[in-house]
Amino acid sequence: MKLKIEAVNHVCLVVKDLAAAEEFYVGMLGLSRHHKIKTWFVLNQQSTLHLVNIPEAEVDNSLYHEIQHFALQVPNMQEVLALLLDHGKKPFQMDFEGKTKDVNEANDPLDFGIGTLFVYDPDGNLVEFLQIGRGIFTEDMRPQVSEP
């Protein structure tokens, strides 16, 4: 029997400062609070972001944590870039080798590396934004099962 996955239900992140995390995810990105669980935030009709507040948690500055991320598909990356810059964030792009390029201008073509946009949340969790049709995320990159 093969396991059938319907969707990613939620992503869970540990945060040291729930108020700072909520300012980032709700105040800046505009996520809405889940109707039953106050530390869950709605991404879309299938998925939520679950924040676990652990004030005494140690921030992991290893390469492992620096690269570990989750990606949000958005309809317009230029709008995300403008939003991040308006809020004083430091977005960047990355290639497959880990080289990065800071993005400081709202009209940047966003064509470096894999063509996506990254930013760290207040706890150092890496968030990636991608738009279908930009960079490596062309229509033919949508998930499809490859036969062995």
Side-chain angles (χ1 to χ4, degrees):
M1 180 178 110
K2 183 177 173 184
L3 180 66
K4 179 175 166 67
I5 306 294
E6 296 178 332
V8 172
N9 181 272
H10 68 273
V11 173
C12 179
L13 297 178
V14 172
V15 298
K16 291 176 63 74
D17 182 343
L18 186 58
E22 286 182 358
E23 176 56 33
F24 180 83
Y25 290 104
V26 176
M28 187 180 80
L29 296 184
L31 299 185
S32 298
R33 196 175 299 278
H34 188 275
H35 67 286
K36 290 195 176 204
I37 303 172
K38 72 177 190 168
T39 58
W40 284 40
F41 303 91
V42 176
L43 297 172
N44 59 30
Q45 290 183 334
Q46 288 108 358
S47 306
T48 57
L49 173 64
H50 180 186
L51 301 179
V52 176
N53 190 39
I54 305 177
E56 65 277 7
E58 292 187 26
V59 175
D60 180 355
N61 292 318
S62 70
L63 180 60
Y64 178 88
H65 185 258
E66 186 178 314
I67 299 298
Q68 184 178 1
H69 67 281
F70 70 99
L72 300 174
Q73 182 177 314
V74 297
N76 187 313
M77 275 197 346
Q78 293 297 146
E79 289 177 2
V80 173
L81 174 59
L83 178 73
L84 295 173
L85 292 173
D86 286 349
H87 283 84
K89 300 300 175 191
K90 297 179 181 192
F92 61 95
Q93 292 194 280
M94 189 182 319
D95 67 11
F96 281 119
E97 285 76 44
K99 294 178 192 159
T100 62
K101 174 191 166 232
D102 292 339
V103 182
N104 303 309
E105 301 291 328
N107 62 352
D108 189 290
L110 300 176
D111 57 3
F112 177 80
I114 61 174
T116 64
L117 193 59
F118 293 89
V119 70
Y120 287 101
D121 78 0
D123 285 279
N125 295 302
L126 186 57
V127 182
E128 180 180 14
F129 299 93
L130 67 93
Q131 178 182 335
I132 298 298
R134 295 192 73 136
I136 66 166
F137 290 95
T138 57
E139 284 292 331
D140 66 335
M141 283 292 289
R142 288 188 185 268
Q144 297 177 23
V145 176
S146 63
E147 297 302 321

